[in-house]
């Protein structure tokens, strides 16, 4: 089957859909503040029958024929989900100004990406997903790996991407690719609407030729805007701040993505408003700034949470107010508390019945500071914040240097990392108990240093994300350190093979505590007695997984992927091994055993996890009583 461009006399070039796709992507650029970058910097993939002869052939042809500036780098991943995580890590590191594409075959190759798509969209990170699809002609239906739906012949497994994508399309004819790709680029570069973009490619259409207009392949620059605040909205925000006695800033990921850290520090200094942070916003203000008070909410510290409980105004900057930030709507406890929300997306700016400022974080802070000239909080309030932070710093020191035996607490590993990592080295982490410990303990020196994925809290994100971050920073003299627990490691260790095959340097810190520390502790707190949260053999007498330890060796498993592994016996040996790894030039996995039960940092907040209302277990009954007590402080901000 062949197709032709319908407009007479326009210059055309005959290419397959796959070849046109690759050529188009190599000519797309983003621009912000005068800095232009290739938008799609490369492609991850695994080839199957759905894409090997279409997009796969196009990538091969590009690698042979393209000039350097038009080349589309290709990296072979080991799991399609890992490829999306790597693309998300790449996008996060580049402040959403660049990303990567991921090509897969149909069926399981495609659906493996769904979790990664949800992670990207939840975290507001741009990724371009190119799953293959069934035949558009339907001649060979049902093709291998095709899902048949008797209600409609136009449904495939790729429809599962619709709820987790910010843009979704299926290309059933070659000429549909042009408007689809243009729409896709718009979403990828829109700071308010970005997330996973999914373009489904039927495998026969990928290989179909078409006479494309040459102008489709012209160099395009997608300008990333900095929306300025509406003057009247700014006036309302200024009035609300000036009326407050105990205002508090919650700095979210939007501060980091808009590169507003320097402006935020200056704004805090001149106004005297203390600054807390979310997981995505940590590092937006340096931990040793006089007004920085660290993480707030369910995994926050006692200083930030004490200020949040008494704040009469919360100024949310680039935050989506997750339940961890709000401590399930118990953190901001004053009956008369009000909100001013600065966010590039109106959906987030409107949360908590706030005074809305829909704008870029940096642009809004600059405008706010001009309007706030001469105003600042009382010295006593600033001193209170500083005193609370000093008290919490003493707790950090205790957690970082516990001397816990016989196995160290994981907080001691974080202490070693916090001591040894340079200002622009990158620490990467995701699910489990570690994000909570890091949120309240980590002393971030810059927005470059702290890379946490906690919007989707995806086990297995860390290692592929480290790959993406390393690709994003290239040969810069910065270390990339992924910290992963044994549970997350077992979800997705295979991208260690990709790291090894690419010959790039990534340090993986693998903590083995023989179970799920986070869910184990949560299980205990809700009366479920850590049931099913330890790596144990099934006991014949009880019938439960509470027998002998499972005899697996995660360090040996890591070595089998082709990377160097160093075992550490205790925290001092770990510190020594870490220094060597940071100074070295090769990838390494640093393995250390830690205590499953902590001790963890002291809690200062609440998280809503419903407990069974009736039970025959006394532990559950007691937990239900505590849960009902916690819910009494929960509220809607109306």
């Amino acid at each position: 089957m062949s197709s032709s461009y319908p407009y007479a006399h326009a210059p055309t070039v005959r290419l397959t859909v796959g070849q046109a796709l690759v050529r188009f992507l190599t000519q797309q650029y983003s621009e912000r503040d005068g800095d232009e970058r290739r938008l799609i910097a490369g492609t991850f993939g695994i080839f199957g029958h759905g894409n090997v002869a279409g997009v796969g052939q196009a990538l091969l042809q590009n690698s042979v024929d393209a000039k350097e500036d038009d080349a589309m780098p290709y990296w072979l991943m080991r799991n399609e989900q890992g490829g999306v995580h790597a693309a998300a890590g790449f996008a996060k590191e580049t402040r959403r100004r660049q990303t990567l594409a991921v090509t897969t075959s149909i069926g399981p190759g495609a659906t493996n990406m769904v979790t990664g798509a949800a992670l990207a969209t939840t975290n507001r990170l741009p990724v371009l997903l190119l799953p293959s699809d069934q035949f558009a002609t339907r001649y060979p239906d049902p093709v291998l790996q095709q899902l048949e739906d008797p209600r409609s012949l136009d449904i495939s497994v790729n429809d599962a991407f619709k709820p987790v994508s910010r843009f979704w399309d299926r290309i059933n004819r070659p000429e549909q690719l042009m408007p689809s790709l243009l729409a896709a680029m718009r979403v990828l570069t829109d700071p308010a609407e970005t997330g996973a973009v999914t373009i489904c490619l039927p495998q026969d259409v990928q290989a179909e030729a078409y006479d494309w207009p040459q102008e489709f392949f012209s160099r395009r620059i997608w300008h990333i805007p900095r929306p300025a605040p509406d003057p009247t909205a700014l006036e309302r925000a200024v009035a609300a701040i000036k009326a407050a006695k105990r205002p508090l800033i919650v700095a979210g990921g939007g501060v980091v993505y808009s590169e507003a850290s320097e402006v935020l520090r200056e704004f805090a200094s001149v106004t005297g408003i203390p600054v807390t942070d979310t997981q995505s916003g940590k590092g937006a203000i340096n931990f040793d700034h006089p007004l920085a008070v660290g993480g707030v909410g369910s995994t926050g510290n006692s200083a930030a949470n004490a200020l949040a409980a008494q704040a009469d105004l919360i100024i949310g900057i680039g935050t989506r107010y997750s339940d961890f930030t709000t401590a399930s709507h118990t953190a901001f406890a004053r009956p008369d508390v009000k909100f001013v929300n600065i966010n590039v997306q109106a959906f987030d700016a409107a949360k908590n019945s706030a005074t809305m400022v829909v704008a870029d974080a940096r642009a809004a802070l600059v405008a706010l500071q001009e309007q706030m000239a001469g105003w600042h909080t009382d010295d006593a309030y600033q001193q209170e914040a500083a005193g609370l932070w000093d008290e919490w710093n003493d707790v950090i020191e205790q957690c970082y240097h516990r001397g816990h035996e016989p196995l160290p607490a994981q907080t001691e590993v974080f202490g070693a990392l916090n001591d040894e990592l340079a200002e622009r080295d990158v620490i990467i982490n995701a699910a489990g108990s570690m994000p909570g410990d890091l949120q309240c303990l980590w002393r971030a020196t810059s927005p470059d240093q702290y890379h946490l994925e906690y919007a989707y809290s995806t086990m297995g994100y860390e290692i592929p994300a480290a790959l993406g971050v390393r690709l994003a920073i290239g040969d810069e003299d910065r270390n990339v350190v992924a910290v992963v627990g044994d549970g997350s490691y077992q979800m997705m260790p295979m991208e260690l093979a990709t790291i090894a095959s690419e010959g790039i340097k990534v340090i993986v810190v693998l903590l083995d505590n023989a179970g799920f520390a986070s869910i184990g502790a949560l299980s205990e707190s809700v009366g479920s007695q850590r049931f099913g949260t330890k790596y144990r053999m099934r006991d014949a007498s009880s019938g439960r997984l509470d027998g002998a330890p499972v005899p697996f060796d995660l360090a040996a498993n890591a070595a089998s992927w082709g990377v160097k592994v160093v075992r550490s016996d205790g925290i001092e040996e770990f510190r020594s091994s870490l220094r060597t790894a940071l100074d070295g030039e090769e990838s390494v996995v640093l393995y250390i055993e830690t205590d499953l039960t902590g001790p963890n940092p002291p809690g200062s907040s609440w998280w809503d996890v419903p407990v069974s209302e009736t039970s025959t277990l006394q532990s559950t009954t007691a937990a239900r009583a505590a849960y009902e007590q916690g819910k009494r402080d929960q509220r809607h901000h109306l």
Side-chain angles (χ1 to χ4, degrees):
M1 181 181 294
S2 63
S3 303
S4 298
Y5 184 56
Y7 302 110
H9 310 302
T12 61
V13 57
R14 192 163 182 79
L15 300 169
T16 68
V17 168
Q19 294 160 2
L21 168 70
V22 172
R23 183 174 295 193
F24 174 89
L25 293 179
T26 64
Q27 299 305 310
Q28 307 308 300
Y29 288 77
S30 71
E31 179 276 331
R32 188 171 68 179
D33 302 333
D35 181 19
E36 293 182 10
R37 303 184 184 186
R38 249 282 284 279
L39 178 57
I40 309 299
T43 300
F44 276 104
I46 294 179
F47 295 130
H49 70 280
N51 63 343
V52 66
V55 174
Q57 187 279 335
L59 288 166
L60 168 64
Q61 185 168 306
N62 174 271
S63 72
V64 173
D65 295 343
K67 298 178 181 178
E68 183 175 353
D69 291 344
D70 299 333
M72 174 62 74
Y74 173 77
W75 300 284
L76 170 63
M77 58 199 180
R78 270 59 183 181
N79 182 284
E80 293 87 353
Q81 182 185 145
V84 186
H85 292 339
F90 185 99
K92 189 177 180 73
E93 178 62 28
T94 62
R95 305 291 182 259
R96 306 193 299 195
R97 293 161 74 176
Q98 294 178 280
T99 189
L100 303 172
V102 188
T103 176
T104 72
S105 190
I106 76 166
T111 53
N112 278 349
M113 293 200 296
V114 173
T115 294
L119 176 146
T121 296
T122 307
N123 283 274
R124 322 284 169 78
L125 293 171
V127 295
L128 177 59
L129 310 182
L130 304 170
S132 299
D133 216 320
Q134 60 202 41
F135 277 62
T137 62
R138 299 179 182 168
Y139 280 128
D141 285 8
V143 71
L144 177 65
Q145 298 179 333
Q146 177 179 335
L147 173 73
E148 291 186 281
D149 190 320
R151 297 168 297 176
S152 171
L153 300 184
D154 195 42
I155 292 176
S156 80
V157 295
N158 288 343
D159 287 80
F161 285 96
K162 288 180 178 179
V164 295
S165 299
R166 296 299 292 173
F167 177 81
W168 183 98
D169 200 9
R170 178 179 284 125
I171 309 302
N172 287 308
R173 291 178 56 88
E175 57 266 44
Q176 292 176 347
L177 186 68
M178 291 183 282
S180 185
L181 282 177
L182 293 171
M185 299 304 108
R186 177 194 64 78
V187 174
L188 290 172
T189 54
D190 187 325
E193 296 299 324
T194 197
V197 167
T198 303
I199 299 179
C200 310
L201 300 168
Q203 52 190 295
D204 53 341
V205 176
Q206 290 181 46
E208 187 174 343
Y210 184 78
D211 294 319
W212 306 86
Q214 289 186 0
E215 61 184 336
F216 181 55
F217 305 110
S218 299
R219 190 176 191 269
R220 293 177 190 271
I221 301 175
W222 299 85
H223 302 281
I224 301 176
R226 288 193 180 278
D230 174 74
T232 56
L234 189 66
E235 287 177 10
R236 291 190 291 269
V238 169
I241 297 172
K242 287 184 175 180
K245 300 297 183 184
R246 299 179 62 87
L248 183 68
I249 292 172
V250 177
V255 178
V256 177
Y257 295 138
S258 67
E259 298 175 310
S261 295
E262 185 176 341
V263 179
L264 174 63
R265 294 170 192 144
E266 186 177 349
F267 180 78
S269 296
V270 299
T271 61
I273 303 177
V275 180
T276 67
D277 53 53
T278 69
Q279 288 284 13
S280 292
K282 184 168 288 294
I285 189 168
N286 47 302
F287 81 94
D288 53 356
H289 187 284
L291 276 304
V293 291
V296 70
S298 295
T299 53
N301 66 67
S302 60
N305 283 330
L307 291 171
Q310 293 300 317
D312 57 359
L313 179 71
I314 302 300
I315 307 169
I317 309 176
T319 178
R320 64 189 188 93
Y321 288 108
S322 76
D323 67 333
F324 266 69
T325 298
T326 68
S328 300
H329 285 270
T330 64
F332 312 122
R334 272 182 64 143
D336 61 344
V337 66
K338 299 291 189 295
F339 293 80
V340 168
N341 289 343
I342 299 168
N343 204 292
V344 74
Q345 187 175 92
F347 176 77
D348 291 319
K351 290 177 178 176
N352 300 327
S353 303
T355 296
M356 298 169 59
V357 181
V358 181
D360 171 78
R362 195 169 87 180
L365 281 169
V366 169
L368 263 182
Q369 187 167 325
E370 292 176 355
Q371 297 293 318
M372 298 292 299
W375 182 94
H376 55 81
T377 62
D378 292 341
D379 290 344
Y381 180 51
Q382 297 177 44
Q383 291 168 6
E384 177 189 349
L388 289 168
W389 178 241
D390 287 342
E391 292 174 8
W392 180 252
N393 260 308
D394 292 339
V395 176
I396 294 176
E397 286 298 313
Q398 295 168 19
C399 292
Y400 276 179
H401 306 97
R402 286 190 181 279
H404 187 64
E405 293 182 343
L407 295 175
Q410 70 180 21
T411 60
E412 295 177 85
V413 176
F414 300 149
L417 288 164
N418 216 166
D419 289 343
E420 301 299 334
L421 264 62
E423 181 175 343
R424 297 194 67 228
D425 289 344
V426 185
I427 184 170
I428 300 170
N429 188 240
S433 62
M434 295 185 192
D437 289 359
L438 288 166
Q439 167 71 348
C440 65
L441 298 178
W442 190 263
R443 294 161 169 160
T445 53
S446 76
D448 298 309
Q449 193 183 63
Y450 192 81
H451 182 122
L452 265 281
E453 189 288 296
Y454 210 54
Y456 208 55
S457 186
T458 308
M459 296 177 71
Y461 171 80
E462 299 91 341
I463 293 173
L467 167 63
V469 171
R470 172 49 69 188
L471 293 175
I473 66 178
D475 295 331
E476 289 184 46
D477 187 20
R478 299 166 61 192
N479 281 295
V480 178
V481 181
V483 185
V484 59
D486 48 1
S488 281
Y489 174 83
Q490 291 176 81
M491 291 283 183
M492 195 160 289
M494 65 284 296
E495 301 310 332
L496 283 173
T498 307
I499 290 168
S501 67
E502 294 296 337
I504 59 178
K505 181 186 176 183
V506 168
I507 298 171
V508 175
V509 177
L510 172 54
L511 279 64
D512 187 351
N513 56 25
F516 295 103
S518 174
I519 296 304
L522 179 63
S523 172
E524 190 169 39
S525 73
V526 299
S528 295
Q529 305 174 15
R530 292 184 179 261
F531 174 72
T533 64
K534 298 178 182 179
Y535 296 134
R536 297 281 179 167
M537 304 291 287
R538 189 167 301 280
D539 184 85
S541 58
S542 70
R544 296 196 293 266
L545 294 174
D546 54 9
V550 177
F552 54 25
D553 188 335
L554 296 184
N557 177 267
S560 74
W561 296 107
V563 294
K564 178 182 178 181
V565 175
V566 176
R567 299 175 187 254
S568 296
D569 184 10
I571 199 66
E572 292 308 316
E573 193 170 305
F574 173 78
R575 282 181 177 269
S576 177
S577 299
L578 174 61
R579 293 189 189 105
T580 301
L582 291 170
D583 291 338
E585 297 181 356
E586 63 180 333
S587 290
V588 61
V589 174
L590 302 178
Y591 172 89
I592 182 170
E593 293 184 59
T594 57
D595 193 321
L596 177 65
T597 58
N600 300 105
S604 61
S605 196
W606 186 71
W607 186 39
D608 191 343
V609 177
V611 180
S612 296
E613 195 167 357
T614 61
S615 176
T616 60
L617 303 177
Q618 191 278 331
S619 59
T620 306
T621 302
R624 177 68 192 190
Y627 174 71
E628 291 175 354
Q629 180 67 37
K631 279 192 72 68
R632 292 174 186 173
D633 296 326
Q634 200 171 30
R635 62 187 288 199
H636 292 292
H637 296 288
L638 303 174

